[in-house]
Amino acid sequence: METTARPARDQWGSKLAFILAASGSAVGLGNIWGFPTVASANGGAAFVIVYLLAVALIGAPVMLAEFVIGRRTERNPVGAFKALAPGSAWVVVGALGVLAGVMILSFYSVIAGWTLAYIVKAATGEFTAGADTAAIFNSVAGSPGAAIGWHLAFMSLTVLVVIGGVRGGIERWTKILMPALVVILLLLVARAVTLTGAGPGLEFYLRPDFSRIDVGVVLAAIGQAFFSLSLGMGAMITYGSYMTKDDDLETSAGWVVLFDTSIALMAGLIIFPTLFHAGLEPGAGGPGMVFVVLTSLLSTIPPEPWGGTVFGLLFFLLLMVAALTSSISLLEVATAWLVDDKGVSRKKASIGVAALAFLIGIPSALANGAVPWLSSLPGIGMDFLSFLFMVFGQYALVVGALLISVFTGWVWGVRAAAAEVRSNDGKFSLEATWSFLIRFLCPVAIVSLLVYLLWQQLAS
Ligand code: TRP
């Protein structure tokens, strides 16, 4: 690979900066909106256990694999596969990633748009005692103008950051705001677990009923792990490509996984006690559930009427920023491909991709009450946003991660990959474990689940 012939590429400013940026990509709506939504639809605590196993045994090794591919090649996913397996069909994995990124961004921006709307709702004092939580959600998601307008606003913010490039844009945001998010989450956990009726919620979330585990739950857990960790479509390949040669890939992957998972677990501690306190049905709320539940939590925070307003403002502002540090990584993959491989300017590439994702996102923006048939697709029963989340936010990532693990484990090879992991300090302490997981456990687990699911579908 002649990396020297190309113009100097952006790089992260320091080791910590890389961990923060990768965590910024990982931590987002997937943790605070996705994790509780998927957990409640899949039986609560039983799902949580499978999720933790999926993160440790499948998510973490794939994250390291993506970092390694990225740093070795210094390319976007398409270019990376071209560089490591020239002339082969593996480049399709990169292309699939570019596509999945655009599709995920399309609905991600819709949900993130709701957080923007909720910032305004907090500011105007709507989160006070007796708030009509469902009506508040409906006034945003159920109104075509509001839903599309906030979607456009969020997509525009995303483009503005991505145009700034890696160091100027992405890095600066993440550093300050992630720790602030953790603080406010902890305060909300404290409020949620002390609500009357919190007990049954904690039980649903933490006491597993193993009879609820089935293949569907396991696949949902793996899919959610990939979504939350930003894996399976090359986002972490792209971020890894901006790492310097002294970054430690192994510890970086460990920190990002730990951080991301802790935040998801905290979100569960907020959502489930509140959900039961508010007398809602777990698994019934769809994409709006988390927003409805959060409103009812905020409206219990004293002193009236300031508590809900102040906490609401802080919380939704930080959630919006967390979503922004994730959406930029979704936009960055297609942008980096157009910039690196097609010679398009960064500005043109990011505006073009975002405009496309905005248009594709419009039906998702209309799928939570605004347009009835999009809100419950004929023959599928699901709303359009949840459907896209399932197809691109879960299945495409599972398939992408499968191919990435097969490529790293068998095609490029664990030896070459391990040499790259070791290149900064000569150490790779979990080499044997990682090699086993990436070569055997990840591919075998994913393939058998997919085959079983397909077989079930055909049999029914
Ligand atoms: N991980 C982010 C979240 O939890 C979403 C995200 C960003 C993502 N980049 C990604 C998901 C790449 C899958 C692939 O909100």
Side-chain angles (χ1 to χ4, degrees):
M1 242 174 327
E2 13 59 279
T3 44
T4 40
R6 298 182 311 127
R9 222 157 163 266
D10 258 359
Q11 284 192 331
W12 307 110
S14 68
K15 264 184 224 189
L16 184 64
F18 172 72
I19 295 179
L20 282 170
S23 306
S25 166
V27 174
L29 298 170
N31 306 63
I32 287 158
W33 166 82
F35 178 75
T37 303
V38 181
S40 69
N42 285 282
F47 171 87
V48 175
I49 296 207
V50 182
Y51 178 77
L52 293 177
L53 285 173
V55 164
L57 298 176
I58 298 180
V62 172
M63 172 148 325
L64 184 56
E66 289 205 21
F67 283 176
V68 179
I69 294 174
R71 192 176 67 179
R72 176 81 187 105
T73 59
E74 300 185 13
R75 296 284 205 288
N76 69 85
V78 174
F81 284 101
K82 272 192 202 154
L84 291 175
S88 75
W90 284 100
V91 61
V92 173
V93 184
L96 194 76
V98 171
L99 173 74
V102 175
M103 298 306 287
I104 294 174
L105 179 60
S106 78
F107 68 81
Y108 201 87
S109 165
V110 169
I111 305 164
W114 300 343
T115 68
L116 282 176
Y118 271 57
I119 294 172
V120 176
K121 302 218 168 261
T124 52
E126 292 197 33
F127 301 150
T128 46
D132 186 342
T133 55
I136 292 177
F137 180 69
N138 201 41
S139 72
V140 180
S143 139
I148 295 177
W150 289 116
H151 166 44
L152 179 63
F154 184 81
M155 194 67 88
S156 311
L157 277 176
T158 305
V159 180
L160 284 179
V161 181
V162 169
I163 289 176
V166 168
R167 297 212 36 195
I170 297 173
E171 206 175 299
R172 202 188 318 152
W173 284 89
T174 323
K175 257 188 230 174
I176 324 157
L177 295 154
M178 295 273 282
L181 177 66
V182 174
V183 172
I184 188 125
L185 284 175
L186 286 172
L187 292 171
L188 291 179
V189 168
R191 171 71 275 214
V193 298
T194 51
L195 289 169
T196 49
L202 286 171
E203 194 159 314
F204 175 79
Y205 180 47
L206 298 173
R207 181 179 299 163
D209 169 1
F210 289 102
S211 70
R212 301 213 45 172
I213 299 181
D214 60 18
V215 174
V217 170
V218 178
L219 204 67
I222 296 179
Q224 174 59 26
F226 289 146
F227 186 86
S228 188
L229 295 167
S230 301
L231 299 175
M233 54 144 289
M236 291 302 184
I237 294 181
T238 309
Y239 271 33
S241 76
Y242 303 121
M243 270 197 263
T244 70
K245 292 294 174 192
D246 348 294
D247 276 319
D248 193 291
L249 302 179
E250 192 180 14
T251 48
S252 299
W255 280 113
V256 175
V257 168
L258 192 72
F259 196 47
D260 185 73
T261 308
S262 317
I263 293 193
L265 291 175
M266 276 193 257
L269 283 176
I270 294 170
I271 298 299
F272 290 108
T274 312
L275 191 139
F276 280 73
H277 165 84
L280 299 167
E281 192 65 37
M289 180 273 278
V290 165
F291 283 81
V292 170
V293 168
L294 282 168
T295 309
S296 67
L297 177 66
L298 291 166
S299 65
T300 66
I301 294 179
E304 232 2 81
W306 298 110
T309 301
V310 171
F311 270 79
L313 258 179
L314 277 174
F315 176 78
F316 284 110
L317 209 69
L318 291 169
L319 181 57
M320 188 275 287
V321 172
L324 193 57
T325 57
S326 301
S327 65
I328 54 186
S329 76
L330 287 162
L331 179 56
E332 177 65 22
V333 176
T335 302
W337 167 63
L338 289 169
V339 171
D340 288 356
D341 291 21
K342 299 283 163 200
V344 183
S345 76
R346 177 163 270 277
K347 194 167 168 183
K348 272 199 188 131
S350 52
I351 293 176
V353 176
L356 182 68
F358 167 72
L359 292 176
I360 299 173
I362 289 176
S364 293
L366 300 175
N368 281 273
V371 174
W373 70 271
L374 285 171
S375 307
S376 176
L377 292 173
I380 303 179
M382 228 181 226
D383 67 275
F384 187 77
L385 190 156
S386 300
F387 182 68
L388 274 196
F389 179 47
M390 185 183 79
V391 174
F392 291 98
Q394 302 191 295
Y395 282 95
L397 300 179
V398 169
V399 172
L402 165 68
L403 295 171
I404 288 170
S405 62
V406 170
F407 179 80
T408 312
W410 299 94
V411 179
W412 182 32
V414 281
R415 273 164 193 270
E420 177 66 30
V421 176
R422 255 186 262 111
S423 64
N424 65 318
D425 59 0
K427 279 189 263 179
F428 183 6
S429 37
L430 291 176
E431 180 174 350
T433 314
W434 177 77
S435 303
F436 171 77
L437 294 173
I438 208 79
R439 280 162 73 97
F440 299 102
L441 188 85
C442 300
V444 171
I446 295 174
V447 168
S448 30
L449 283 168
L450 289 175
V451 168
Y452 183 84
L453 219 65
L454 204 69
W455 173 75
Q456 254 190 342
Q457 289 282 307
L458 294 177
S460 68

